[in-house]
Every structure is written in structure tokens, then in C-alpha cells.
Amino acid sequence: MLSRLFWSSKRSFDSLSEQEILALAIGAEEEDARIYLAYADMLRSNYPASAKIFEEMAEVEDIHRKSLIEIYRQRFGERITLIRREHVQGFYERKPDWLRRNLSLEKIRGEAEAMEQQAYRFYVEAARRVTDAQTRQLLGDLALAEQGHEDITHMLVDKHTPADVKAEEDHAARRQLVLTYVQPGLAGLMDGSVSTLAPIFAAAFATQNTWQTFLVGMSASVGAGISMGFTEAAHDDGKISGRGSPIKRGIACGVMTALGGLGHTLPYLIPYFWIATTMAVIIAIFELWAIAFIQNRFMETPFLRAAFQVVVGGGLVLGAGILIGNG
């Protein structure tokens, strides 16, 4: 019973023969080359220089694959054993294409570097666990090859993306991040934080009941989040404006809208009115300053101007809600 519970269909690396290890390396080189070509296809339209890097990296992987196949042919014949990295315990894994499709440029660069580092570390560690001299030599050679891959990666980056080109691509990637996530999210946070101040504090001072106030705040926040999310997703498909996927923008806007309202709603779960209200006011002030910081950090709005606009506007809405609740 216990053996079934802990049994794995994957092979341990120690159980592999030299033939299987070499076949495993061939399969890994083939797969990594396809991944680099997929990266090149994803980046070609917006980042042609980086796309060229990944095309040449795929060529390097293919050269190593051919060298490994030639060694395999000399030692073990024409038929390459069918074994892949997912068949072996502890072997580094690669994400499928559909999980890499929406990666940012910087993330793709990091993934490529991690691929080479992981492969190098794996072969080094594997060599330590093998006692057979020929197998140790084989794994050591593979580790050196992967280390050489990393050097080639840096060389290709220097060749195709000099400082000015890399800066331009980084700027384009940052701009896309702002358009797709930051701008809709900021709009939602502003709407959720500011627009819910009046109804929440009006309900609080009108009823002096923390639970009723919580229900008002929850309904206002969730309702505003749903409304803002659908509005953002529906009014622009992103094809002409270049603002990216409407679904991503809608989710960013809707979630941040709801969070903006929930921040100063949740304190009203505390049954003591003045404690809950004091905490809600503190959180509301923190939210307004956070909005000013985001505007300064990502939208390049001078911090003092952003703070003045947000804090003064939010203060007026907060004051209106308190006056209406006391009226």
C-alpha cells in the first residue's frame, strides 16, 4: 500500500545508462531549440533585435544537437532511445508554449538565462552522483557545453542588442506594461478608493452600525469592480490603441476597483464604531497616497501635483460622505 502511495512513474537519474543519458541530452537540445524559436516568433513584431538573438541561440542548440547525435551514432547506433526530461526525476522542466505566450521581454530574457544555468547545474550535480568513469566524463562534457551556451548567450546579446537597442526595447516593454496593467489598474484603484468614500462614510455616520456599513461598503466595492471591469474591457479592444488584451485590462481595472473600496470597508468588521471608523480613515489616507505614488512612479506625474489632486479630491469626497451621514 505504501509503495503505491509513494511510487513514481519517473525514472531516477541513477538508473539511466550512458546511452539513455546521451539520448536525454539530445532530446533536451531539440526542445530548447524549439523554445528559442518560439520566443523569436513571439518577439519578432515588437522586438526584432531580441528575436534575432533567440534565432541564433536556436542555431547553437541545433549545432550541439547534431554533435551529440554524431557521438550517439558512433557509440550506440542509429536508433536513438526515446527518453525525455519529463521521464526523469529531478530533471529540469520547460513550460509548454501556451504558458510562455504572454511573458514580458524581460521575463523571456530571464527564462533563457535560467534555461542554460539549470542545464549546467543539472549536469554538474549528475556527474557527482555517477561513479563510472566514462559516464562522469560524458556528464562533465555536457556541463561544459551548457556553460558555453551561457557565454554564447551573452555574446549574442552584445551583438544584436547594444545598449541603445536594448534601452529602446526595454522602454517599449515598460510602455506596454503601463498601458495594459498599470493604467487600467490605477484608474480602477482611483475609482474604487475615491468613489466609495462617500457612500461608506455616509452609511457609517447615518447608522452608527458597523455591520450595516460593512454591507454597504462591500456591495459598493464589488459592484464598482464589476462595472469598471466590464467597461474597461468593452470600450477598447486594444487593436488600434495598442493597449493590449481587453480581458487583461478589464481584470486589472475590476480587481483594483474592488480592492480600492474594500480597503476602507473591511475595518467595519470591527464591532466598535469609532475604532472601525478611525482605522477606515487611516486606510483611506494610505490608499490616496499610494495612488499618488503610482502616478509618480509609472505615469511620471510630479509627486506633489499627484498628491495634491488625489488627496484633496479624496478629502472632499470623504467630507461630503460624513456631512451627508450626519445630515
Side-chain angles (χ1 to χ4, degrees), residues 264-313:
H264 45 266
T265 295
L266 293 177
Y268 284 99
L269 288 172
I270 300 172
Y272 305 103
F273 175 76
W274 285 110
I275 295 176
T277 300
T278 301
M279 291 188 62
V281 171
I282 293 173
I283 292 175
I285 293 173
F286 174 80
E287 291 170 348
L288 296 176
W289 282 105
I291 292 171
F293 172 79
I294 295 172
Q295 284 185 319
N296 174 256
R297 175 69 175 81
F298 292 98
M299 311 303 291
E300 299 182 0
T301 304
F303 183 78
L304 290 178
R305 188 174 78 183
F308 179 79
Q309 293 173 343
V310 174
V311 174
V312 171

Side-chain angles (χ1 to χ4, degrees), residues 135-151:
T135 305
R136 267 182 91 91
Q137 179 64 49
L138 175 61
L139 290 172
D141 291 343
L142 290 173
L144 291 176
E146 292 297 339
Q147 193 175 39
H149 287 187
E150 189 174 350
D151 294 336

Side-chain angles (χ1 to χ4, degrees), residues 192 195-196 199-200 214-226 257-258 261 265:
S195 67
T196 57
I200 290 174
F214 171 77
L215 294 179
V216 171
M218 179 65 72
S219 60
S221 301
V222 174
I226 294 173
T257 301
T265 295

Side-chain angles (χ1 to χ4, degrees), residues 8-21 24 81 83 87-89 122 126 129-131 135 139:
S8 172
S9 61
K10 292 186 176 183
R11 296 273 302 277
S12 68
F13 192 84
D14 290 333
S15 71
L16 301 182
S17 65
E18 293 183 32
Q19 181 178 4
E20 290 172 323
I21 291 172
L24 189 61
T81 302
I83 185 168
H87 301 154
V88 181
Q89 294 176 1
F122 175 82
R129 304 199 323 253
V130 173
T131 57
T135 305
L139 290 172

Side-chain angles (χ1 to χ4, degrees), residues 20-318:
E20 290 172 323
I21 291 172
L22 195 54
L24 189 61
I26 293 170
E29 298 287 353
E30 290 176 345
E31 187 173 339
D32 286 352
R34 288 197 297 269
I35 291 173
Y36 289 143
L37 288 176
Y39 284 156
D41 291 338
M42 286 189 291
L43 296 172
R44 187 168 289 110
S45 59
N46 294 324
Y47 312 107
S50 289
K52 184 64 176 176
I53 291 174
F54 287 108
E55 287 177 354
E56 294 200 18
M57 287 172 66
E59 291 177 6
V60 171
E61 297 291 314
D62 190 55
I63 291 172
H64 285 235
R65 178 186 65 86
K66 290 177 181 178
S67 299
L68 288 166
I69 289 176
E70 184 60 30
I71 294 173
Y72 186 98
R73 182 182 287 116
Q74 293 173 6
R75 298 188 60 187
F76 305 112
E78 294 293 328
R79 188 182 69 82
I80 299 177
T81 302
L82 179 59
I83 185 168
R84 294 288 182 265
R85 57 182 119 220
E86 61 266 23
H87 301 154
V88 181
Q89 294 176 1
F91 205 87
Y92 55 91
E93 297 181 356
R94 301 288 184 253
K95 295 179 181 178
D97 284 348
W98 60 86
L99 293 180
R100 298 193 303 266
R101 193 168 297 150
N102 296 318
L103 294 178
S104 65
L105 174 61
E106 195 60 37
K107 185 67 174 177
I108 289 176
R109 289 172 180 165
E111 286 278 333
E113 187 173 349
M115 285 169 63
E116 306 300 344
Q117 291 175 349
Q118 289 170 3
Y120 169 73
R121 288 196 299 266
F122 175 82
Y123 285 126
V124 168
E125 183 61 29
R128 293 172 182 163
R129 304 199 323 253
V130 173
T131 57
D132 181 77
Q134 287 186 329
T135 305
R136 267 182 91 91
Q137 179 64 49
L138 175 61
L139 290 172
D141 291 343
L142 290 173
L144 291 176
E146 292 297 339
Q147 193 175 39
H149 287 187
E150 189 174 350
D151 294 336
I152 292 173
T153 300
H154 291 300
M155 179 188 71
L156 292 176
V157 169
D158 294 337
K159 174 183 176 183
H160 292 292
T161 54
D164 56 340
V165 176
K166 188 174 185 296
E168 182 179 344
E169 290 190 343
D170 289 343
H171 176 73
R174 185 177 185 277
R175 180 178 180 275
Q176 193 61 54
L177 173 70
V178 170
L179 290 176
T180 304
Y181 295 103
V182 177
Q183 193 179 67
L186 179 61
L189 183 61
M190 292 176 65
D191 183 85
S193 297
V194 176
S195 67
T196 57
L197 286 174
I200 290 174
F201 284 98
F205 282 91
T207 65
Q208 301 281 307
N209 186 302
T210 58
W211 178 246
Q212 294 298 323
T213 302
F214 171 77
L215 294 179
V216 171
M218 179 65 72
S219 60
S221 301
V222 174
I226 294 173
S227 176
M228 287 287 289
F230 274 102
T231 300
E232 176 63 37
H235 88 278
D236 179 12
D237 61 9
K239 294 180 180 178
I240 296 177
S241 65
R243 297 179 65 219
S245 167
I247 296 177
K248 293 178 182 177
R249 297 194 331 268
I251 292 174
C253 185
V255 169
M256 293 307 294
T257 301
L259 290 177
L262 290 174
H264 45 266
T265 295
L266 293 177
Y268 284 99
L269 288 172
I270 300 172
Y272 305 103
F273 175 76
W274 285 110
I275 295 176
T277 300
T278 301
M279 291 188 62
V281 171
I282 293 173
I283 292 175
I285 293 173
F286 174 80
E287 291 170 348
L288 296 176
W289 282 105
I291 292 171
F293 172 79
I294 295 172
Q295 284 185 319
N296 174 256
R297 175 69 175 81
F298 292 98
M299 311 303 291
E300 299 182 0
T301 304
F303 183 78
L304 290 178
R305 188 174 78 183
F308 179 79
Q309 293 173 343
V310 174
V311 174
V312 171
L316 291 174
V317 176
L318 174 61

